[in-house]
Amino acid sequence: MRKVSFAVKGEYITLGQLLKALDIVSTGGQAKMLIKGGNVKVNGEVDVRRGRKLRPGDTVQVDDLLIELVAEGEV
């Protein structure tokens, strides 16, 4: 499994925004389909909410990619 860190600017980033920021998807519609399809786990559990607020300390898994969210300046 590949691991990457992502620096959260501000208090949080939504799940859909994260997927777009990392170029996993290119549009909000693609993010919605990926998330609603049950292909994304947040902190180890499937989450189907595109607007889910992610904060430093959270993890997101998409296929074989594990994303660890950290506070800006910790990367």
Side-chain angles (χ1 to χ4, degrees):
M1 180 171 297
R2 296 179 302 137
K3 291 183 180 181
V4 297
S5 294
F6 181 85
V8 178
K9 296 176 184 169
E11 184 182 341
Y12 66 88
I13 186 169
T14 66
L15 184 52
Q17 290 171 337
L18 175 69
L19 297 178
K20 288 192 293 185
L22 290 172
D23 291 325
I24 295 170
V25 297
S26 57
T27 68
Q30 289 176 339
K32 182 178 180 178
M33 290 187 342
L34 182 68
I35 295 165
K36 291 286 184 190
N39 299 307
V40 179
K41 291 182 178 180
V42 176
N43 298 327
E45 297 184 13
V46 172
D47 198 318
V48 295
R49 298 173 292 167
R50 183 174 58 167
R52 165 78 186 258
K53 293 178 180 177
L54 304 169
R55 294 177 167 81
D58 287 336
T59 60
V60 176
Q61 182 180 342
V62 181
D63 298 324
D64 69 336
L65 177 64
L66 181 66
I67 306 152
E68 297 175 336
L69 282 80
V70 297
E72 188 174 23
E74 290 183 17
V75 175

